[in-house]
Structure formats: C-alpha cells, structure tokens
Amino acid sequence: MARADLLLALVKSGAGQDDLAFRRAAEALIAEEEAKKHRVLAKQLSEALNRRRPTGAAVPSMARAKSNDGLVHEREPQRRLHDLVLPKLVHQQCAELIEEHYRRDLLRSHGVEPRHRMLFVGPPGGGKTSLAEAIATELAMPFLTVRYESLIGSFLGETASRMDALFAATRVRPCVLFFDEFDAVAKERGDTHETGEIKRVVSSLLLQIDKLPSHVIVIAATNHAELLDRAVWRRMQIRVELPEPTRAGKMEWLSSWSSRTGMNFGIAARTIAERLQDVSYAELEEFALDVQRRSILDGIDSDTTEITRRLLTQWTKRAGADIS
C-alpha cells in the first residue's frame, strides 16, 4: 500500500489545483511502486498521469519517457562511502543527505522534502565520480551518467528536445542522475561567445532540474566552477568541494586499497605517496591496479616489492612528463 504522506499530498494538491505539486506527488508514488517491483501498477499510474494534461503544459507520453535513446549510461554502483578518502566536512555533507533520504517519511510528515541537488567541484581525478557512485550505492539506487554525445544535437532545438526526453525518462524512478563536466551544458549565459541556442539549453536545463521530484538525486560535477552559470549555484542545495589529494590522503587510500584487495605493495605507503606526489586519486588507483595486474601475471612466485619499485619508476617519469 502507498504511504499515507504521499496519498495525503496527492489529495491536497489535487484539491488545491496545484498542478506542479500534484505531479511531483504522483511521480513520487510511481517511483515508490517501481522500487517495490510493482511495475504493472507503476505503468498504469504513469499512463493515467500522462493522460492528465494541465493547462498550458505538455506532458510527455509514456513511450517517450521510456525511450531515452541512449541519453544516459546506467550501471549498478559498486563503490562505498567508506572506500573513499574524504575531508571530514564532505563526508558529513554526504552522510546527512543519505540520512535525509532514509528518513524521508519523517521529513514529509512535517511537509519537508529531502535535499536532492548537489554540486561537486574539484580537480580532475579528485573523486567526484566515485563519490557520486558511492552515494548511489548507499541509497541502493541505479547510477545514471548523462551521455553528452547523445544529448547535444547539431540542429536548432534538438538538444532541448532530447533534454526533455532525458528528464521525462528519469523523473518516474528513484535514481542518481550524474552530470559530469557540467560546465559543458550549464555555461554562464552572460558569455558573449556563446550562441543563443546554448543559452536556451541552459535555461531549459535549469527549469527541468527545478521540476525534478526529490527521489531523483541530481549530482553535477565540474573542474571549472568559474564557467558555470550563476543560477546553477542557487539551485544546488549542497555544494561539495573536493581538494587536491594530500600525502596523508594518499597514504590512507593505499592502506584502504590493500585491506580491501589483500594486495601488499611490499613498500611503505608513505614512500609510494611521496614518489607519486603529483598524481590524483584516479591515477593512484590506476597505479595500484598496474601492480596488481603485474603480480597476477607473474604468478605465485612474483616479487611484489620489485614490481612496485619498477612501476614506481615508470609512474614517476610519467608524472614528470605530464607536468613539463
């Protein structure tokens, strides 16, 4: 049976002729039935909702909502929050969001929705994608990454149309919707070098994000916060800053990775962190995987210490070449 708070919100918004509130409550109800695997009922509710057309609003059909033409890449998330090395404040921000969604019934009983719009800012390879995936894992939600090569079209109005299809397909199910390199589609509209089409796309995108129900968690990530439209900052309820990895952070990551995989580098984590001082967390993970691959291929008699030393030399030269 549907939760009492959703039914109450549905009746109140319908009686008050609040179309947006009615649609959000209905979509939350549909998403809950989807999560319970009541797919026949969810489909019936979706079809009934899409037959209801508020004045001046075009409601996408169920067929269009289900056909997103490869606009997102969906995968089951694997990373956990405790697998990541995060500043205390960032961990607290994410833990609070997760708690809000687990206790959303209590919040809704007071007429409050959990927060569901986040902005991650930080350098490349700093863990933005991993953190978004970890939040999806903790909430047991599918992880959807927006595919810009499918979203952005070359013809007038094509991108906005595809964006409508994207949001129509995601708003009726609980999920984490991840926009990597968000500045690609949410650039400052005051930039004189941008076309009118791009500015219309940004306006449409922000309006669509505003209309999303709280069971769709939108996470936008960027390496270039200065390029984002100013309205983006206002819409994002939680702003997370991921700094460059420190030596201590790298040591913690290496120790955690060894514990999870059972892989012993044969060299102290401090030494590795000092030698790889210019790499990101993403690159550090690639280094660790390189050691693991080589150890597996060399067999049970492999010398892990020697493998780690050899790869450290290669990675140190590579890091120096990347900087120069």
Side-chain angles (χ1 to χ4, degrees), residues 94-280:
C94 295
E96 287 175 352
L97 174 91
I98 292 166
E99 181 188 12
E100 288 175 22
H101 281 267
Y102 271 115
R103 305 183 69 188
R104 58 187 177 274
D105 293 0
L106 176 60
L107 291 176
R108 285 172 176 162
S109 69
H110 292 271
V112 179
E113 289 291 318
R115 293 174 295 175
H116 64 111
R117 298 190 296 270
M118 307 181 77
L119 177 64
F120 292 173
V121 177
K128 298 184 291 298
T129 302
S130 296
L131 181 54
E133 181 183 347
I135 289 173
T137 303
E138 301 299 338
L139 292 173
M141 290 181 172
F143 185 54
L144 311 182
T145 302
V146 177
R147 299 176 58 188
Y148 294 136
E149 70 275 16
S150 299
L151 180 65
I152 299 174
S154 56
F155 298 104
L156 184 66
E158 190 175 13
T159 301
S161 176
R162 292 177 181 178
M163 200 173 291
D164 288 344
L166 165 67
F167 284 100
T170 55
R171 62 188 299 123
V172 292
R173 60 184 298 206
C175 63
V176 171
L177 183 61
F178 181 58
F179 288 84
D180 198 8
E181 298 182 6
F182 195 51
D183 47 279
V185 288
K187 280 189 176 180
E188 172 60 57
R189 283 169 289 183
D191 187 345
T192 57
H193 298 289
E194 292 298 341
T195 65
E197 170 72 355
I198 290 297
K199 293 176 183 179
R200 284 190 292 273
V201 167
V202 175
S203 298
S204 175
L205 172 64
L206 295 178
L207 287 173
Q208 291 280 15
I209 288 175
D210 275 344
K211 293 178 182 177
L212 283 176
S214 60
H215 59 259
V216 178
I217 299 177
V218 176
I219 301 179
T222 182
N223 307 328
H224 302 286
E226 72 281 359
L227 298 180
L228 291 177
D229 190 272
R230 284 167 289 182
V232 170
W233 296 91
R234 178 174 59 81
R235 280 169 169 82
M236 296 303 176
Q237 299 156 312
I238 302 175
R239 303 164 192 173
V240 175
E241 292 190 18
L242 293 168
E244 294 276 1
T246 61
R247 184 180 66 176
K250 291 176 184 178
M251 290 170 57
E252 182 182 346
W253 188 94
L254 289 164
S255 298
S256 175
W257 191 85
S258 291
S259 298
R260 291 197 311 272
T261 62
M263 182 78 198
N264 186 349
F265 291 102
I267 294 178
R270 176 185 292 275
T271 301
I272 298 174
E274 288 175 348
R275 292 282 301 276
L276 300 179
Q277 58 181 331
D278 296 316
V279 303
S280 65

